[in-house]
Amino acid sequence: HDIINRWTYPVVPDNNSPPEDQYIYRRRGVYLPNSVRPYKAVIHQNTIVGSETTIDRNTNIVDCVIGRKCEIGANVKITNSYIWDEVTIKDDCVIDSAVLCSGATVKQGTTVSAGCILSYDTVVGPNTVLKAGTRVTVAGPRHMRNDSECSNDSEDTRCSDPDNISETDVLGADHWGVIYRSDEDNSSDEEGDMERAEFNRKWYVRHPDCSEFDEISDSSDSTPVPSDPEPDSDVGFYGEVCDSFKAGFAIQKDIDNVLIEVNASKHAYNISVADQLMHSTRALLELCPEIKEFPKYVGYFGPMFIKLAKDRDSQMVILDEIETWALEKSRIPDTQKILHILYNEDVLDESYILEWCDSADDDIQSSIAKFIVWLKEAEEESSESD
């Protein structure tokens, strides 16, 4: 939590990842590698996603650590969870305050409740609701096994519960693994339920009306464990950029002076160059009241963006933020005109627009299809003339 919130700077993900797997720090404590482009999902605060992980559309992720090479389907909601490497989560699943170890699979329509732990290579679902605190393993203690079916030499580790409780009813028709039961769990189902309830009471949960994590305990003399406050550097910097843009445009201040103000705010809040460009793009889009006014705003701010976005990576930041804004604000139909204006003002290069479009959201691609065709034809004509 401290690392994601950058209290341990310079020991932060974007400063300690190899070049081939470089993390990019985005707003609200979100870290994404170059290989992950979440155009079809919404990733909220305090989340890090590993390389080569795929996330399908309409998926919401908040306060999570997600490992490498995971496959996350559509319409999935993941909250306050740790997802290790090579985990598969199918469509329409809900993961809440759980730990999914490497190789685990959650089949379609499954809910993994608070406090659940899925061990290595386990499978649960489909269309199953795991009770809070359920622990699933493929190789539990000996008292969990039916020795007539499972021996130490057996390669099949999917074993029946000794109390004849149907694992299928609890874990789903396609499950692989058994419910882990300690010696204390086996004393009675009532005691097991009490243990799970105690587990959940002590699990860190996020209250709807509070931004801090508190530890819930029955002990009257226990003191809640406070969490670090949410970082406000992004919010503060974005607010100052908006103020600088609004004031500068109102009096048509020299754009170089506006850039000096933005750079000063960048250093004051310790904001990266990519975040500076991302926030500046969002401020430009939010400042313009109507799309018909956009050419006037780009005419004023364009020279500043040309100075900030001279290479591929910086222009991809602009394009990514335009897409994110259009999806969040339901302004997809305006995307084509925005790109066209930025292209005409030499803020965006046609080659980067074409590259970005290939992996953009399907709705975005449809809305800018005519513009992309026009760009490709213009590029071909230019090549022929050369």
Side-chain angles (χ1 to χ4, degrees), residues 84-263:
W84 296 11
D85 295 340
E86 299 182 0
V87 172
T88 300
I89 302 174
K90 298 295 186 180
D91 298 346
D92 306 312
C93 291
V94 177
I95 314 295
D96 179 22
S97 303
V99 176
L100 277 58
C101 298
S102 298
T105 298
V106 181
K107 293 296 186 78
Q108 185 170 359
T110 297
T111 296
V112 181
S113 304
C116 289
I117 301 175
L118 306 186
S119 187
Y120 300 92
D121 301 319
T122 52
V123 179
V124 295
N127 303 314
T128 301
V129 177
L130 296 188
K131 292 182 178 180
T134 300
R135 294 162 290 176
V136 184
T137 181
V138 294
R142 189 168 186 79
H143 70 261
M144 294 170 54
R145 302 185 172 205
N146 184 334
D147 289 336
S148 64
E149 298 180 8
C150 301
S151 65
N152 292 332
D153 300 329
S154 174
E155 294 180 0
D156 187 358
T157 57
R158 181 167 56 180
C159 307
S160 301
D161 181 75
D163 296 326
N164 294 322
I165 297 174
S166 173
E167 302 285 357
T168 299
D169 293 341
V170 178
L171 304 181
D174 297 340
H175 79 277
W176 178 266
V178 294
I179 299 174
Y180 179 90
R181 300 177 186 275
S182 63
D183 291 329
E184 291 78 7
D185 289 335
N186 286 337
S187 58
S188 72
D189 287 340
E190 183 179 353
E191 290 181 11
D193 291 340
M194 291 176 63
E195 180 181 333
R196 283 191 289 272
E198 180 68 14
F199 185 95
N200 295 329
R201 281 196 292 271
K202 292 186 176 181
W203 190 266
Y204 286 90
V205 296
R206 179 178 291 277
H207 298 293
D209 56 346
C210 180
S211 62
E212 296 183 353
F213 286 101
D214 298 317
E215 184 176 2
I216 309 302
S217 175
D218 289 338
S219 176
S220 58
D221 59 351
S222 62
T223 302
V225 179
S227 69
D228 294 325
E230 295 285 346
D232 60 357
S233 58
D234 286 292
V235 176
F237 175 72
Y238 176 70
E240 292 195 6
V241 170
C242 290
D243 291 342
S244 296
F245 276 24
K246 186 175 181 180
F249 184 79
I251 63 174
Q252 294 293 295
K253 183 189 296 185
D254 189 325
I255 194 62
D256 288 337
N257 291 333
V258 176
L259 180 56
I260 290 173
E261 292 180 12
V262 173
N263 283 334

Side-chain angles (χ1 to χ4, degrees), residues 286-305:
E286 293 288 348
L287 183 62
C288 180
E290 298 180 359
I291 191 63
K292 64 181 181 181
E293 302 289 332
F294 196 65
K296 182 168 58 176
Y297 283 84
V298 176
Y300 175 72
F301 290 104
M304 183 183 76
F305 279 89

